[in-house]
Amino acid sequence: METVALKRSSRILGGHPWIFSNELSISPKRFAPGSLVRAVDRQGGFLGIGYINPHSLISIRLLTSRDEPIDEGFFRARMLSAVEYRKKACGEKRLKDSLRLIFSEGDYLPGLIVDKYGDCLAVQFLTLGMEGFREIILRLLDELFNPKTMVLRNDGSSRALEGLGLEKTVIKGDLTELPRITEGGAVFEVNPLLGQKTGFFLDQSENRLAMKDLVKGGTGLDIFSYTGAWGIQAALNSAKITGIDSSADAINQAIKNAGINGVSDRCSYVKADAFAFLRENAAGNTYDFIILDPPAFAKSRARLKEALRAYRDINALSMRLVKKGGILATSSCSHHVSREAFTDALNMAARDAGKRLRVIEARSQAKDHPALLAVAETEYLKCFLLEVS
């Protein structure tokens, strides 16, 4: 294993696992892409072991701060640690049903995502370095969890940035019957080969249940409704919901999920652009609540200004339609957008709409998406439940 020295190491010593190319004392192009390296400080002091990719802005992602072999035993220990964390934080019931089983840096396995939908595991290798351990990881997942079905969802944009190809495939079992999961009192069917992420937004699970507790009937909009989870939870508390999404596949799945939960009579769906719908179709109407769960508007830091403008606009359009004393549930899943920047965008949106906001709850991602205090990027989801007046 080759060694690479860092020009500065204070951030690494503070617990952050990312090392950028301009922090290396030599060019990363000297190293084989995806290979393991030992990182040391300028005096040669050991910092950790990680994998390197000279074609990525994040040149090295550290796997450990200990001088230890990165082998099957290492990955087994990390996976078992992730399970123990979820038993403690989420409970046995969720562990048996559905949750994010491995959350990349949050579980000290950067570049690896594993979502559990009942007896189905959806696996994502996001980086070249983690891709190199694919066989070991898949074998361990099969051994430790014995899923009926295992799916590779290697279609994220980050793979292209890492120089990897895209693929979606079933590698164990089949999807003749799609997995169904429970969330509170609701049941959702998930297709792990279609749609965004791995087919379901597990990170919003606890936020949806918090919003459900606030809804007592009434009418609402579920903007960017995807497969219907937010709106269906509200419909189970007697609300009447209109879901808006631009994807026909997502709407079809939402309609099916509404039927599974017996709320088809309270859920309707419209295929439309969210911004256009709010400007054109919803004008003149008011709602008891509106749910906004958009995709990440800021895919990169270069698009941050544009993203903040979009968050401001979509929230202002929604606030104008909320009745006095009504509720707005609004989120940003862009890790480039800080909580402070999102809060500022919401304040500007309220000013644009002539509204005032009172915070009922300020929330983040569910506990199965653990954030590291030393790694701000791992706390990416911002969710506010707001009273609009």
Side-chain angles (χ1 to χ4, degrees), residues 315-357:
N315 278 279
L317 288 167
S318 299
M319 290 173 192
R320 293 188 181 104
L321 303 178
V322 179
K323 294 177 182 177
K324 182 179 179 180
I327 299 170
L328 174 66
T330 183
S331 299
S332 166
C333 62
S334 301
H335 85 259
H336 294 290
V337 176
S338 68
R339 185 169 291 270
E340 292 74 21
F342 187 51
T343 302
D344 288 344
L346 293 177
N347 276 323
M348 289 187 285
R351 185 181 65 186
D352 295 343
K355 302 285 187 175
R356 292 185 182 273
L357 305 175

Side-chain angles (χ1 to χ4, degrees), residues 190-355:
V190 178
N191 189 333
L193 280 183
L194 289 181
Q196 301 176 53
K197 293 203 172 182
T198 62
F200 196 76
F201 288 102
L202 291 165
D203 53 359
Q204 290 278 25
S205 176
E206 294 165 17
N207 299 332
R208 286 189 289 262
L209 295 177
M211 178 62 176
K212 179 183 178 181
D213 288 342
L214 298 174
V215 173
K216 310 296 179 186
T219 60
L221 292 178
D222 182 5
I223 310 296
F224 305 102
S225 57
Y226 193 41
T227 57
W230 280 95
I232 288 168
Q233 289 287 10
L236 287 169
N237 262 10
S238 301
K240 188 172 182 179
I241 296 293
T242 301
I244 313 299
D245 203 278
S246 61
S247 166
D249 287 337
I251 285 176
N252 289 335
Q253 188 61 60
I255 292 169
K256 189 171 184 180
N257 282 332
I260 290 169
N261 288 279
V263 292
S264 296
D265 58 330
R266 296 198 289 277
C267 295
S268 60
Y269 296 92
V270 177
K271 182 182 181 297
D273 173 81
F275 288 88
F277 179 88
L278 290 171
R279 288 191 181 102
E280 301 163 11
N281 299 87
N285 297 319
T286 55
Y287 299 88
D288 296 292
F289 61 91
I290 292 179
I291 298 159
L292 275 176
D293 186 14
F297 287 153
K299 296 290 187 181
S300 66
R301 189 164 294 280
R303 298 189 62 182
L304 180 58
K305 185 176 180 180
E306 176 188 346
L308 291 173
R309 179 75 249 184
Y311 283 120
R312 178 176 175 176
D313 289 348
I314 197 78
N315 278 279
L317 288 167
S318 299
M319 290 173 192
R320 293 188 181 104
L321 303 178
V322 179
K323 294 177 182 177
K324 182 179 179 180
I327 299 170
L328 174 66
T330 183
S331 299
S332 166
C333 62
S334 301
H335 85 259
H336 294 290
V337 176
S338 68
R339 185 169 291 270
E340 292 74 21
F342 187 51
T343 302
D344 288 344
L346 293 177
N347 276 323
M348 289 187 285
R351 185 181 65 186
D352 295 343
K355 302 285 187 175

Side-chain angles (χ1 to χ4, degrees), residues 54-231:
H55 307 300
S56 173
L57 178 61
I58 305 172
S59 286
I60 300 173
R61 296 175 194 257
L62 292 178
L63 291 165
T64 179
S65 58
R66 298 173 56 190
D67 199 350
E68 59 182 322
I70 308 302
D71 54 13
E72 184 169 319
F74 170 85
F75 286 101
R76 181 190 299 274
R78 283 285 200 268
M79 290 180 186
L80 292 176
S81 176
V83 170
E84 288 305 309
Y85 164 81
R86 281 153 182 79
K87 286 180 180 177
K88 176 170 54 181
C90 307
E92 293 276 3
K93 184 177 180 181
R94 280 198 64 195
L95 185 58
K96 290 179 180 178
D97 189 274
S98 61
L99 44 57
R100 176 149 290 185
L101 199 57
I102 297 174
F103 180 46
S104 197
E105 280 83 358
D107 286 304
Y108 309 104
L109 287 170
L112 179 64
I113 298 289
V114 182
D115 287 336
K116 183 178 187 295
Y117 300 119
D119 289 328
C120 174
L121 294 185
V123 186
Q124 293 182 310
F125 294 94
L126 304 178
T127 59
L128 179 63
M130 197 56 77
E131 175 82 15
F133 296 101
R134 177 198 284 228
E135 290 188 14
I136 290 175
I137 289 168
L138 293 179
R139 184 168 66 249
L140 283 170
L141 289 172
D142 197 26
E143 174 194 326
L144 294 174
F145 304 104
N146 191 28
K148 289 182 180 177
T149 309
M150 193 144 42
V151 172
L152 284 180
R153 271 299 297 263
N154 289 333
D155 59 343
S157 58
S158 63
R159 282 180 62 89
L161 296 174
E162 289 276 321
L164 292 167
L166 306 183
E167 60 177 336
K168 294 194 297 184
T169 185
V170 178
I171 58 172
K172 181 183 180 183
D174 60 62
L175 290 173
T176 304
E177 291 187 11
L178 294 176
R180 291 190 178 188
I181 65 173
T182 60
E183 181 183 273
V187 178
F188 299 107
E189 183 179 86
V190 178
N191 189 333
L193 280 183
L194 289 181
Q196 301 176 53
K197 293 203 172 182
T198 62
F200 196 76
F201 288 102
L202 291 165
D203 53 359
Q204 290 278 25
S205 176
E206 294 165 17
N207 299 332
R208 286 189 289 262
L209 295 177
M211 178 62 176
K212 179 183 178 181
D213 288 342
L214 298 174
V215 173
K216 310 296 179 186
T219 60
L221 292 178
D222 182 5
I223 310 296
F224 305 102
S225 57
Y226 193 41
T227 57
W230 280 95

